[in-house]
Amino acid sequence: MLNQLGLRFKLLKDDRIMIIVMTVMALALTFIFSSSMSGSYRPSIMVIDQDRTQESRAFIKELQKSRLLDYRQAEEDEAIKQIEQSMAIAGLVVRNGFGEIVHEGGEADLEIIRIKDSVELIQLEGNVRSTFFQFSSKYKTALATVEIIKEIRPDIDEQRVFKETQELSDEYWKNRNPFKLTSTVLSAEKDWAYNPLIHYLIGFTLFFSTFTIVFVGADILKEKQQNTWQRKLVSPVKNTTILLSLLITTFTVGMAQVGLIVIIGNYFLDIVWGMNIGLMLVVFAGFVYTFTAIGLVLGGLAKSFEQLSAFTPIILVASAMLGGTMWPLEIIQSKILLFLANLMPHKWALEIIEQTAAYGLNINNYIVTILVLFGMGTVYLLIGIYLHSARTVRQS
Amino acid sequence: MLDIIDIHKAYNKTKAVEGISFQVKKGEMIGLLGPNGAGKSTAISMIATLFKPDRGEILYQGESIIKNPKVIQSKLGFVPQEIALYPTLTGMDNLKFWGRTYGLKGSHLKEKINEISEIIGIRDRLKERVDKYSGGMKRRLNIGCALLHNPEIIIFDEPTVGIDPQSRNHILNAVKEINRRGATVIYTSHYMEEVEFLCQRICIMDQGKIIASGTKDELIGTIDSDEKTTLKVEGLTEKMIEKMREISYARNLVVSDDSVIFNRKGNHVNYSEIIDAISQEGGKLLSMDVQKPDLEYVFLQLTGRALRD
Ligand SMILES: Nc1ncnc2c1ncn2[C@@H]1O[C@H](COP(=O)(O)OP(=O)(O)O)[C@@H](O)[C@H]1O
Ligand SMILES: [Mg+2]
């Protein structure tokens, strides 16, 4: 076994270009993402003001102070267009009668328009809720203050008192921003809110690793072509030892690549992955394991190394697209595509990391994901082993 | 030691081996001679446990290697027809890897690598990468990798294809030396001279079957052979030629200058009638050249085709 493993690691130098290129590309992307993330990314929300009262305008102004979301006011048609083109993640409609409700008290009638549920919408809801709470309490405080003072001194300038009270409470709230509190709850470690760029970063890390993994796996075909495979088959070394040494090497290389990106991102580029690194590496291990097995299957199906090199990129890119590494699955509508996404290990790995980043770790979901990834990998592994035992011979 | 009993193998529709049987005795060197596509590689791949025959049995010391390939694998050295080496590793690394694959370790492995690289003549090139080797060097290393573990039986599949005469001679002598040291050898080739030079026993293969087997002389004896006989005679006369034409075994007799050429028909005849005819007419036999039929000729007689095209 050691001898077989030693050989594999020695032969890695043949694939070094592929391994280095894929790792460097992923690292470069991580670097680019990390620098664009430090500038604050704010998802856009289209705001439609149907009420058009002083109150509604004041409320929208209040919303626009948010450091996390970019509220942009627009007419209804324009707003819908922006949302449909994914230029904005959602729309917020301030309904008719908003002003009255603020005056009289009661439930504010606000509506969120969206195409798909996404993590940012939770943020939006929270933000709107707390802003409204803040806004209406300031408003009511000011109203009450005017009432009280009017009873003592009926000749006061109502408008002035109202305005000054509001400004005063503004001052007061400024240092006790309730939303700041909420955001601290979201991420205990840093002042951080979920950033959708993370999605692409993880997506591309996974995507590039698949190339390394599958091509290292293609070594079986190379060996068949250079006849060393046949020579090993007639030797006393067990077939399982030969396959296992190959799988272990491939897995190690794949893990080294994703691990490097996770760790460099975390410690040197200040990327907040939103999940404990250890737990995240277990998810990646499941992913790498599955792709190692997929590499074995592809190697078993291809007739030659050249054939494999030709069709593998297509498969890898297609599966990465389906698995949602290129764009969030939230924007996909087709039921078939969403079903297919479930068969892609990318989807599972991405989803659990994003969920954890947004809502915190859900142990049950986490365990299910790990089981799904390793289960998927094992199915592919068995198919791969079958393919390779069924046709051990391929003479030139 | 080895019993090959009626093995068959087809690839999809191509019947590569159709019922081959032979025995290999301990210490002997047996040759499989046949043209390209005769089924030699397919036959010995089955003996080497690379794949199982569709039908038939192969016994190693009475045990089936089809049911249990393990019994022969560690005893066997297999030199495949195609070069089976890691091109990006050095010769040394290749030898080490294959040696360890057969369980060799440490100083014993080192000794064997020294010994074998001496025999095959690549000792001073071990530190170079294999893809820098010439065709002949690769062939030699390809052989060397199969010899490290002192195999009891060694199978050579056309080990001299496509190389220079010097490497070829080196390889042939190495094979002979290995056999002299006690290894049993199965050697396949489509070169008649190699098989003749090396092997005591020869199986001639064609289209998936063994069409004849035995020692070289036995094989030649099986066919109704013609020997091309050329006589140089001093004082050749018409009468003399007339007499020679009457001899029953001399066929197609032609005369040019002082030479008489004919095909001698049949196996066990002597030349006294010819000599009598010459001396009775006062001639003098200067030289006699008998061209014995070779295995090439045997193949031609058996199949109507040449061994090589
Ligand atoms: N892997 C294969 N697939 C299909 N046909 C094959 C394969 N290997 C050999 N053959 C065919 O089987 C026959 C015997 O081939 P082979 O055993 O290689 O002969 P030899 O070694 O005597 O040249 C040939 O007709 C060849 O084309
Ligand atoms: Mg052959």
Side-chain angles (χ1 to χ4, degrees):
Chain A
M1 186 73 193
L2 280 180
N3 182 37
Q4 301 295 326
L5 273 175
L7 171 84
R8 297 258 62 94
F9 278 100
K10 260 187 199 156
L11 290 175
L12 275 184
K13 69 175 200 289
D14 300 353
D15 295 320
R16 65 181 179 274
I17 310 248
M18 170 63 79
I19 297 172
I20 291 171
V21 165
M22 288 304 157
T23 312
V24 166
M25 294 234 282
L27 271 177
L29 271 177
T30 313
F31 185 75
I32 293 165
F33 277 117
S34 75
S35 49
S36 62
M37 271 177 354
S38 57
S40 57
Y41 163 86
R42 296 192 303 164
S44 299
I45 314 291
M46 303 313 294
V47 183
I48 303 153
D49 185 2
Q50 291 179 342
D51 194 41
R52 294 175 198 274
T53 55
Q54 223 181 335
E55 286 78 14
S56 68
R57 259 171 251 138
F59 174 61
I60 291 168
K61 243 193 200 147
E62 197 69 38
L63 281 172
Q64 285 171 337
K65 288 183 191 157
S66 166
R67 294 185 299 119
L68 296 161
L69 297 166
D70 179 19
Y71 291 93
R72 286 189 277 155
Q73 206 176 336
E75 291 306 315
E76 186 154 354
D77 292 350
E78 174 62 18
I80 303 267
K81 212 167 102 193
Q82 296 270 320
I83 297 164
E84 276 174 352
Q85 291 171 350
S86 293
M87 307 293 284
I89 60 162
L92 179 71
V93 185
V94 181
R95 286 269 173 80
N96 255 329
F98 178 83
E100 268 166 55
I101 289 170
V102 173
H103 258 286
E104 320 278 305
E107 301 255 296
D109 198 3
L110 299 166
E111 188 195 357
I112 291 176
I113 304 175
R114 61 190 163 220
I115 289 185
K116 273 265 152 182
D117 280 320
S118 72
V119 186
E120 292 98 329
L121 286 176
I122 309 291
Q123 263 179 31
L124 174 62
E125 267 181 49
N127 190 229
V128 169
R129 215 178 280 283
S130 67
T131 310
F132 180 72
F133 164 70
Q134 194 181 333
F135 171 78
S136 66
S137 51
K138 271 193 295 192
Y139 200 89
K140 294 236 177 68
T141 315
L143 275 182
T145 312
V146 172
E147 292 283 311
I148 293 164
I149 297 179
K150 217 165 92 178
E151 267 174 34
I152 306 166
R153 299 238 337 247
D155 59 325
I156 56 149
D157 178 351
E158 273 185 47
Q159 289 291 327
R160 220 188 97 209
V161 174
F162 184 78
K163 218 177 142 209
E164 276 176 13
T165 320
Q166 259 194 328
E167 274 166 11
L168 257 172
S169 52
D170 257 357
E171 277 301 304
Y172 176 83
W173 281 114
K174 216 169 248 169
N175 302 320
R176 292 170 184 75
N177 192 330
F179 191 73
K180 184 108 198 237
L181 258 171
T182 324
S183 99
T184 319
V185 173
L186 271 176
S187 118
E189 288 165 33
K190 300 182 188 180
D191 182 13
W192 173 84
Y194 174 76
N195 186 328
L197 275 182
I198 287 281
H199 175 94
Y200 297 103
L201 184 47
I202 295 169
F204 278 105
T205 303
L206 295 177
F207 176 62
F208 285 121
S209 75
T210 57
F211 277 85
T212 312
I213 297 166
V214 168
F215 275 96
V216 173
D219 282 353
I220 295 184
L221 284 172
K222 219 192 279 175
E223 287 223 18
K224 281 185 178 170
Q225 249 153 312
Q226 67 195 20
N227 297 295
T228 43
W229 188 258
Q230 289 84 325
R231 194 168 208 163
K232 277 193 263 196
L233 288 180
V234 306
S235 81
V237 175
K238 287 202 197 76
N239 292 8
T240 44
T241 310
I242 300 174
L243 272 183
L244 206 61
S245 64
L246 198 91
L247 295 175
I248 290 175
T249 318
T250 308
F251 180 80
T252 311
V253 173
M255 271 319 277
Q257 184 178 334
V258 292
L260 195 71
I261 290 160
V262 168
I263 286 164
I264 288 188
N266 190 69
Y267 292 106
F268 298 98
L269 299 176
D270 251 0
I271 287 175
V272 181
W273 294 105
M275 189 188 219
N276 173 298
I277 289 200
L279 292 177
M280 192 152 101
L281 285 177
V282 176
V283 175
F284 281 169
F287 181 83
V288 173
Y289 169 74
T290 306
F291 257 91
T292 305
I294 289 176
L296 194 67
V297 172
L298 292 179
L301 292 175
K303 289 213 163 53
S304 69
F305 185 74
E306 287 68 30
Q307 196 186 47
L308 184 82
S309 312
F311 73 65
T312 296
I314 301 169
I315 291 177
L316 293 185
V317 171
S319 64
M321 284 179 172
L322 281 176
T325 62
M326 311 271 179
W327 45 76
L329 288 174
E330 280 82 39
I331 67 166
I332 307 274
Q333 311 248 32
S334 153
K335 287 232 161 57
I336 298 171
L337 289 182
L338 287 175
F339 169 75
L340 285 177
N342 282 318
L343 303 179
M344 305 296 143
H346 310 76
K347 183 240 169 183
W348 294 88
L350 267 168
E351 195 175 70
I352 190 68
I353 295 173
E354 284 191 287
Q355 272 181 6
T356 309
Y359 310 112
L361 183 66
N362 177 327
I363 284 290
N364 284 341
N365 284 354
Y366 182 80
I367 290 173
V368 167
T369 302
I370 299 296
L371 288 179
V372 167
L373 283 174
F374 279 92
M376 216 184 255
T378 305
V379 170
Y380 282 120
L381 187 68
L382 293 177
I383 297 174
I385 289 173
Y386 168 76
L387 285 177
H388 284 281
S389 60
R391 12 161 143 188
T392 42
V393 202
R394 197 176 289 118
Q395 287 179 309
S396 43
Chain B
M1 186 179 210
L2 258 181
D3 278 295
I4 291 91
I5 306 159
D6 196 32
I7 54 174
H8 289 72
K9 176 78 193 177
Y11 302 102
N12 301 322
K13 290 208 179 84
T14 320
K15 287 179 183 161
V17 168
E18 288 184 88
I20 281 183
S21 304
F22 61 95
Q23 286 192 339
V24 184
K25 295 187 206 81
K26 190 167 169 55
E28 82 168 325
M29 182 130 59
I30 186 166
L32 291 184
L33 176 68
N36 281 329
K40 307 181 294 294
S41 296
T42 306
I44 57 171
S45 296
M46 292 186 274
I47 302 173
T49 72
L50 187 57
F51 46 83
K52 294 183 191 331
D54 300 334
R55 193 138 72 73
E57 184 59 279
I58 303 171
L59 303 175
Y60 169 68
Q61 296 182 332
E63 241 189 289
S64 167
I65 66 165
I66 296 167
K67 288 197 194 77
N68 187 5
K70 289 274 163 292
V71 297
I72 197 170
Q73 281 173 337
S74 58
K75 305 281 183 358
L76 183 85
F78 181 53
V79 180
Q81 179 171 359
E82 322 289 341
I83 307 280
L85 300 167
Y86 293 102
T88 57
L89 300 184
T90 63
M92 184 53 129
D93 281 343
N94 270 282
L95 285 168
K96 272 190 190 157
F97 172 74
W98 293 111
R100 287 187 185 132
T101 298
Y102 283 87
L104 270 56
K105 286 198 264 288
S107 59
H108 180 55
L109 176 62
K110 252 184 217 141
E111 276 165 33
K112 287 306 289 185
I113 290 178
N114 279 338
E115 179 193 332
I116 298 298
S117 52
E118 195 71 60
I119 293 180
I120 55 177
I122 54 162
R123 191 134 176 216
D124 47 340
R125 301 283 302 274
L126 284 180
K127 290 208 171 64
E128 286 170 50
R129 273 167 62 132
V130 170
D131 48 12
K132 300 275 185 307
Y133 282 16
S134 68
M137 300 290 296
K138 285 184 193 160
R139 284 266 162 217
R140 294 190 202 186
L141 184 61
N142 197 37
I143 294 171
C145 290
L147 304 179
L148 294 162
H149 58 291
N150 275 340
E152 233 175 76
I153 306 171
I154 307 169
I155 297 178
F156 292 92
D157 194 0
E158 309 215 26
T160 63
V161 165
I163 57 170
D164 57 291
Q166 196 201 343
S167 276
R168 183 175 175 185
N169 284 336
H170 201 117
I171 288 171
L172 291 178
N173 286 318
V175 173
K176 214 163 197 158
E177 173 63 18
I178 292 156
N179 175 249
R180 204 190 52 76
R181 293 186 188 187
T184 307
V185 171
I186 303 176
Y187 190 97
T188 86
S189 180
H190 66 272
Y191 294 116
M192 164 201 83
E193 319 86 68
E194 288 184 4
V195 178
E196 269 186 24
F197 170 73
L198 291 171
C199 302
Q200 294 96 35
R201 235 154 37 88
I202 298 158
C203 301
I204 298 181
M205 277 191 71
D206 188 43
Q207 297 183 333
K209 295 197 175 78
I210 292 179
I211 50 174
S213 65
T215 62
K216 183 191 171 191
D217 290 339
E218 282 167 3
L219 284 168
I220 291 168
T222 56
I223 56 163
D224 191 12
S225 59
D226 286 349
E227 286 177 355
K228 187 179 166 201
T229 309
T230 308
L231 307 173
K232 274 197 188 331
V233 182
E234 201 179 84
L236 195 62
T237 62
E238 280 304 317
K239 193 93 186 287
M240 206 185 281
I241 294 165
E242 208 57 32
K243 272 197 164 171
M244 281 197 260
R245 281 193 206 280
E246 280 160 20
I247 298 169
S248 64
Y249 57 76
R251 302 258 180 99
N252 305 333
L253 189 135
V254 289
V255 181
S256 74
D257 300 337
D258 58 348
S259 296
V260 180
I261 305 161
F262 60 86
N263 286 345
R264 198 207 67 181
K265 188 77 190 164
N267 280 319
H268 306 288
V269 271
N270 63 56
Y271 286 94
S272 62
E273 289 179 48
I274 297 274
I275 295 165
D276 286 349
I278 294 167
S279 56
Q280 278 164 17
E281 293 302 317
K284 212 166 136 195
L285 182 61
L286 293 177
S287 74
M288 183 164 102
D289 179 38
V290 180
Q291 226 178 329
K292 286 210 163 221
D294 53 19
L295 293 174
E296 193 110 35
Y297 187 75
V298 174
F299 188 82
L300 184 71
Q301 288 289 308
L302 289 172
T303 67
R305 282 176 288 113
L307 192 51
R308 269 169 287 168
D309 25 40

